[in-house]
Amino acid sequence: MTDAADPLRLQRLSEALIDAARRAGADQADALAVDGRSVSIDMRARALEQAERAEGLEIGLRVLVGGRQAAVSSSDHRDAAITEMAARAVAMAREAPVDDHLGLADTDQLARHRDAAGLELAEDAPEPEPQHLQDLAQRAEAAALDVAGISQVEAANASYSQRRMWLAASNGFSGGYARTGHSLSVVAITGEGLRMERDYAGESRVFAADLPTPEEIGVLAAERTLARAGARKPPTGAFPILYDRRVSASLIGHLLSAVNGSSIARGASWLRRDLGQPVLPAGMDLAEDPLRPRYPSSRPFDAEGLPTRARLIVSDGVLQGWTLDLATARKLGMDSTASAARGLASSPSPSHSNVILTPGRASRQDLIERMGTGLVVTSMLGASVNGTTGDYSRGAAGFWVENGRIAWPVNECTIAGNLRDMLMTLEAADDALPWRGTEVPSLLVRGMTVAGG
């Protein structure tokens, strides 16, 4: 690593921000220093379409003054710029509204482990050469184009990223760690004009060795695309819907949004009165484990320096608790779940990492057979979701099922229901994929409305 990624440099910068904030009159402060670099290669028509490289070091500062807060960021790391940045943040905070629930963690709440040792979040290997990434993208594109029926590949991308962060605070916390990421994706097209259909395949991992081969990704993108040829609108009516594992995490994402402490504190969640009540079928757990090795969203401590831990959000179908940072926990008279996340120029807010839904025992095909007639959803677009009532409506595409078998591909339809009712009818398959931040299998939902042609 170059000096720009030196953790000692990031530590010095973040701690210098804290010192500058104190001198400027802040009661409390926390600071981030983040170094990142990325390389991305796009292939199209068997030739290099685009190559991008980005790198930089940025700093962010949050200050608290008399129950008020402000956050600022900069890419200027000079001593004079840091002093000016701190003064500007304090001046902004003094004009902000008072919130008595704001404040840093007490020292006895802070994480003891202040690096990511044991979590394997960063690959100890040289940055891949652009030519290597180009070769990966070229192989993935070629594999897709070699499948009969594929007319073109819209994009084949291979990319690499490396990011190191350091968090420091006036309560004495100081710690940081690095991440790496490898990604490979293909978008394939079949047909022409109004009969054109497209689909994709893509994967990302912390370690390059954990990625599927480019050929596997290219062929999968081609197969998914060819399956969409001849898509048409489905009938309108009430039918069961199977959320394929490609999109099922979005359904659980709405539940996660509803238990987020920010929504609960505002009274803007359809689950705000359901703590201790069933929100999923009996026997189904929804767990969070931020400490899974080699997973992209794992983290040893949250954005307020609290130690992360595994917990059950839902146990045996019953809602166990909210997802909280320090401020929302204080508003609700509870303890933080060490779930704070933040950007360089934003204050902490609750967030999830590594969520796992209990898998079922049936296969995806078993669930399709049980549907009789209905819709398998493989992609979604647009959304109209009322966070307060749970009313749900989304555009969807996928496959129509008749007599328990896939009959034809579907596009341009709308599916609708109410999240409370939908989640209580869930039946899970056994096909969840690893390496995802939200690990959810295919999910069968009974009695939704499909609006087609």
Side-chain angles (χ1 to χ4, degrees):
M1 292 185 181
T2 66
D3 180 61
D6 180 0
L8 291 178
R9 182 184 183 189
L10 298 181
Q11 180 180 0
R12 288 194 296 269
L13 282 171
S14 57
E15 292 177 353
L17 284 163
I18 300 301
D19 291 340
R22 283 171 162 165
R23 291 195 302 270
D27 300 329
Q28 297 178 313
D30 54 23
L32 276 173
V34 178
D35 173 89
R37 63 195 63 206
S38 63
V39 184
S40 180
I41 301 293
D42 286 303
M43 299 294 297
R44 187 174 183 180
R46 302 184 188 271
L48 178 64
E49 172 80 2
Q50 183 169 277
E52 292 184 346
R53 179 180 178 85
E55 58 181 275
L57 196 164
E58 296 184 290
I59 53 178
L61 173 67
R62 179 177 67 125
V63 300
L64 295 101
V65 182
R68 299 174 171 89
Q69 72 175 356
V72 295
S73 66
S74 176
S75 57
D76 190 341
H77 323 128
R78 295 175 298 115
D79 291 344
I82 287 175
T83 299
E84 181 182 345
M85 180 178 171
R88 183 170 69 253
V90 169
M92 291 169 57
R94 287 177 172 147
E95 300 301 320
V98 174
D99 183 345
D100 292 332
H101 300 106
L102 297 174
L104 303 186
D106 297 332
T107 55
D108 60 356
Q109 295 178 286
L110 298 175
R112 294 183 180 180
H113 299 289
R114 300 184 180 183
D115 57 33
L119 290 184
E120 298 181 85
L121 301 184
E123 186 171 25
D124 187 14
E127 177 183 309
E129 294 293 331
Q131 183 57 49
H132 174 68
L133 294 177
Q134 181 172 336
D135 177 64
L136 294 176
Q138 194 163 18
R139 287 166 56 192
E141 182 195 34
L145 289 171
D146 287 345
V147 176
I150 296 300
S151 56
Q152 60 180 297
V153 167
E154 185 176 277
N157 173 270
S159 61
Y160 168 81
S161 64
Q162 178 192 92
R163 183 175 182 269
R164 186 184 293 277
M165 60 78 66
W166 198 277
L167 173 68
S170 58
N171 57 9
F173 185 86
S174 187
Y177 53 90
R179 293 186 187 277
T180 56
H182 300 261
S183 299
L184 191 57
S185 64
V186 174
V187 180
I189 295 174
T190 187
E192 297 179 353
L194 296 177
R195 294 187 176 184
M196 184 181 293
E197 295 288 344
R198 60 166 52 79
D199 211 325
Y200 74 96
E203 295 287 343
S204 60
R205 302 285 191 273
V206 171
F207 284 70
D210 294 333
L211 273 175
T213 66
E215 289 74 18
E216 289 173 312
I217 290 175
V219 169
L220 180 57
E223 291 174 345
R224 287 174 170 174
T225 299
L226 293 174
R228 298 213 45 74
R232 60 185 192 266
K233 293 183 179 181
T236 295
F239 300 100
I241 291 180
L242 180 71
Y243 285 75
D244 184 83
R245 65 186 181 184
R246 297 172 67 185
V247 297
S248 56
S250 69
L251 188 56
I252 297 304
H254 294 303
L255 188 155
L256 295 175
S257 295
V259 302
N260 187 291
S262 295
S263 298
I264 300 300
R266 296 195 312 270
S269 167
W270 53 275
L271 287 178
R272 60 192 179 279
R273 298 186 182 93
D274 285 76
L275 193 61
Q277 300 299 313
V279 295
L280 291 174
M284 194 171 282
D285 294 344
L286 185 63
E288 181 180 28
D289 185 2
L291 301 174
R292 302 183 84 179
R294 296 169 88 105
Y295 271 63
S297 60
S298 292
R299 52 182 181 170
F301 52 82
D302 76 348
E304 295 177 305
L306 276 63
T308 57
R309 64 185 186 279
R311 67 186 182 104
L312 282 173
I313 300 169
V314 177
S315 177
D316 195 20
V318 176
L319 181 59
Q320 301 298 300
W322 314 124
T323 300
L324 305 169
D325 61 1
L326 285 170
T328 55
R330 290 166 183 149
K331 289 177 183 177
L332 297 170
M334 298 178 172
D335 294 326
S336 172
T337 54
S339 301
R342 62 167 291 190
L344 286 164
S346 62
S347 57
S349 60
S351 180
H352 296 91
S353 56
N354 298 341
V355 175
I356 308 104
L357 183 72
T358 303
R361 297 182 179 180
S363 69
R364 177 181 182 272
Q365 184 56 41
D366 291 336
L367 295 186
I368 290 175
E369 292 175 0
R370 293 176 194 174
M371 291 172 71
T373 300
L375 178 66
V376 175
V377 175
T378 58
S379 64
M380 310 189 79
L381 61 154
S384 175
V385 180
N386 188 315
T388 303
T389 66
D391 290 335
Y392 173 98
S393 177
R394 294 203 65 179
F399 298 90
W400 190 248
V401 174
E402 288 185 352
N403 300 317
R405 300 184 66 178
I406 288 178
W408 70 77
V410 164
N411 59 13
E412 297 183 16
C413 71
T414 301
I415 55 176
N418 182 274
L419 287 166
R420 185 186 302 276
D421 300 331
M422 292 161 58
L423 293 173
M424 287 301 296
T425 71
L426 289 185
E427 187 174 355
D430 62 357
D431 62 346
L433 291 169
W435 309 112
R436 272 69 178 164
T438 306
E439 192 170 299
V440 179
S442 297
L443 296 173
L444 179 61
V445 180
R446 302 286 180 180
M448 293 183 66
T449 299
V450 178

